[in-house]
Amino acid sequence: MAYSCNTANETLEWINAIIAFLKPFKPLMDAHVVNFFKDKLWESIDKQWMDCLCVEPVKNLLKLPSGVIQDHWPTSLKEFILTLRSLVLPRDQGDLRMMLPDLHTNSISSILAQGMNLKKKHEVEILAAIVKSVAESVGAQTIVDVGAGQGYLAQVLTFQYQLSVVAIDASSHHGTVTNARAGRIRKHYAAKMRKSQTETKELNIPQTLAIHVLSSDTLKALSDSIAHEDIIKDEMEIEPNKLSLEGLQDVGTHPPCKSEFKSSLVLAGLHACGDLSVTMLRTFLECEEVKALISIGCCYNLISEEGFENADSHCGFPVSFGVNLARFPLGKSARDLGCQSAERWRVLTKDAALQNFQLHAFRAAFQMVLHRYFPEVITRSPSIGRQGKALRRQQVRKVLKNNKACSTSSMDVTTESVTYIARCDIQYPDWYSLFEKFCESGLHRLGLIPCQGIDIRELWIQSEPFLELIGPYWTVRACLGPLVETLLLLDRLLFLQEKGSSVKAMMVPIFDPVLSPRNMAIIAQKL
């Protein structure tokens, strides 16, 4: 069945189909892969599936989250994958001109692109053009860049598209970096105009505000202030109980200028983190001066959720009435899973995939060490960071130093690839030796002193027979990630659609999903 989300009813039908599909797999979504060996997680997946996938080439496993099946697989596994993929939002970048006929995308100049990697340049180039098009269509004078980071989007909107921009971010350091960079860019353009003897005009720069946006009331109060030209100069942190314009003054801002002019605004957010993307949706609906919204979310693991810790009536999921009625909680593990990208899986090399599976295995085996010898630590959900990748890098340097036959110039020594093994035909040390170092590093990171009674080898021997299962298990679980993200995004879209004919909202994949996996933009306008 082909699903659509053009109306609230269609979106809700799609959402209900997703929830019905996910319910039987809730234990798989809730599982922590660190407990793979401790809880024998592989037993929760159909044995026929595991037996099949354990002998499958890695390249076929990597295609699994994209919905690619093999003829010889069990029928139930093929049905699982095909049904799942039919429920996932299409992510391929489409023809944006079909959705936004007035869109004109221009390349970013070299001075504006300085400091941007390929991913950021791709995102800013497209999003800036969309913001410009939407702002013109609603007659908005000012753009509010929410979660502006280092101001790349704000600066392109200001210097390339001559828009008035207010960039807000919780980090005062980001504001300082944005201002310094904008100053350099303004000098460049001023010098260029003088050299070409063109008429010198005033070059604006984005206004930056360091504000912790803790609620939609906070962002609404700020939007109201900007719309009335009460531009706030000071760095501040707004508490939830200081939400009005008077509240803004109370935390040290300049008094409002009481201008009679009211500017209309567009809210734009490029990967506004966690609840911030949802806060933008609420502000769009609640603030009269905000005429349009372009929001690309990320960090689903950081959103608050009804019924979970730190959740309130303004939680990040669910936000729509329809999903609220379904009473289907996700939980942090499932939201973590929603950050998986089928496109990124598909382009992984075999060696990079095997490395990732191995790191999962090491962390799960290390959990066995903690469970047996440091059980009190388990309750704190310990995090040891990227210890495995750090050890890999160290091992690469050691192997390269000791093996004169290999040419360092031909080797890819990134944290995401181990292609140097295949190219140089180097015999890698036994996995136990590397795991032993992993445990030493992990214990040190947690501030734990190994006692003499710890038998790491015994726990490794217990885990080793099941190492081959962790790759297939993690792959099957990762297949659910794009569907979890689809549910989160459709919930946000439905939230806007439930407002009826006063709002026009759509969801569009605006970026190349390989370059930018979080590529779905919610674009909304008030009618």
Side-chain angles (χ1 to χ4, degrees), residues 343-394:
E343 291 76 20
R344 287 280 176 89
W345 274 73
R346 196 169 60 232
V347 298
L348 275 178
T349 65
K350 173 185 174 182
D351 292 316
L354 289 174
Q355 179 193 12
N356 287 336
F357 294 158
Q358 180 208 338
L359 294 181
H360 280 302
F362 277 10
R363 180 60 184 88
F366 180 64
Q367 192 79 347
M368 296 275 282
V369 174
L370 296 178
H371 178 68
R372 176 174 295 185
Y373 297 105
F374 304 96
E376 70 284 355
V377 175
I378 295 288
T379 60
R380 304 200 301 261
S381 299
S383 173
I384 62 170
R386 297 172 176 253
Q387 303 300 297
K389 289 190 175 182
L391 287 171
R392 278 285 195 170
R393 288 195 295 271
Q394 294 169 15

Side-chain angles (χ1 to χ4, degrees), residues 128 131-132 135 140-148 151-168 178-179 182 204-209 226 231-233 263-269:
V131 171
K132 168 70 171 176
Q141 292 81 30
T142 303
I143 313 301
V144 182
D145 183 5
V146 183
Y152 293 126
L153 175 64
Q155 288 157 9
V156 171
L157 290 171
T158 300
F159 291 108
Q160 182 158 313
Y161 291 104
Q162 289 81 53
L163 292 169
S164 172
V165 182
V166 178
I168 63 175
T178 298
N179 290 336
N204 294 323
I205 64 172
Q207 182 172 358
T208 58
L209 299 174
I226 294 170
I231 303 302
I232 303 162
K233 303 295 183 185
S263 174
S264 57
L265 311 176
V266 172
L267 294 184

Side-chain angles (χ1 to χ4, degrees), residues 240-255:
N241 63 337
K242 296 178 180 176
L243 302 170
S244 64
L245 290 178
E246 289 74 23
L248 292 177
Q249 296 174 58
D250 289 342
V251 293
T253 68
H254 292 294

Side-chain angles (χ1 to χ4, degrees), residues 398-470:
K398 183 177 179 182
V399 169
L400 294 178
K401 183 178 179 180
N402 294 338
N403 197 307
K404 304 297 183 182
C406 292
S407 170
T408 57
S409 62
S410 66
M411 296 176 192
D412 179 5
V413 193
T414 68
T415 60
E416 298 299 329
S417 173
V418 288
T419 51
Y420 55 89
I421 295 178
R423 291 177 185 173
C424 302
D425 195 26
I426 298 172
Q427 184 63 42
Y428 207 76
D430 68 282
W431 298 129
Y432 171 69
S433 297
L434 198 57
F435 173 64
E436 193 173 33
K437 291 184 175 65
F438 182 97
C439 289
E440 291 172 0
S441 178
L443 291 173
H444 175 74
R445 179 66 180 265
L446 296 173
L448 301 174
I449 301 174
C451 56
Q452 290 185 344
I454 291 183
D455 191 343
I456 292 177
R457 181 176 291 276
E458 179 197 353
L459 293 176
W460 178 254
I461 290 172
Q462 289 179 21
S463 306
E464 197 170 22
F466 306 103
L467 289 179
E468 66 176 12
L469 302 178
I470 202 162

